[in-house]
Amino acid sequence: MGTVVLSGTVVLVVLGFGNHLYWLAAIAVLYLYARHARAASSTSAPGPAASPAPTSYKAYRDRRDQQAKWERRYRRERPLEARRQERGSQ
């Protein structure tokens, strides 16, 4: 992705000798790329967020019990979707 952005920026800079608006476009592309790269590096990968490893067995049990509570609530509030998911995983 970075190679494409840099190549596009170079093309815009070269074209900018004929029309200075292309230089502004090159600056805008670099700014947006830098902003996007910084935002992407500060967030984790998409998907379910993995919680950090518990520091004690009590923390592990609390997290496990909380997860089980959420799963029971989901099955209770959405019985058709829960059955569909169970059927799909078997």
Side-chain angles (χ1 to χ4, degrees):
M1 178 70 181
T3 307
V4 173
V5 171
L6 289 177
S7 301
T9 303
V10 168
V11 169
L12 288 172
V13 167
V14 170
L15 290 174
F17 289 110
N19 184 354
H20 298 300
L21 289 177
Y22 287 119
W23 283 345
L24 293 175
I27 293 169
V29 166
L30 287 176
Y31 171 75
L32 291 174
Y33 177 70
R35 191 170 140 201
H36 174 70
R38 191 178 325 128
S41 66
S42 67
T43 60
S44 63
S51 61
T55 56
S56 67
Y57 185 67
K58 182 180 181 333
Y60 161 75
R61 280 193 334 238
D62 291 342
R63 177 73 181 134
R64 183 193 61 193
D65 293 345
Q66 181 67 40
Q67 184 69 32
K69 181 179 165 185
W70 288 336
E71 288 173 0
R72 285 191 303 269
R73 180 179 178 187
Y74 181 84
R75 277 191 236 108
R76 183 178 64 242
E77 292 179 355
R78 299 172 181 85
L80 295 176
E81 294 163 0
R83 262 188 249 135
R84 189 178 313 126
Q85 286 178 356
E86 288 173 1
R87 203 176 325 125
S89 64
Q90 292 175 353

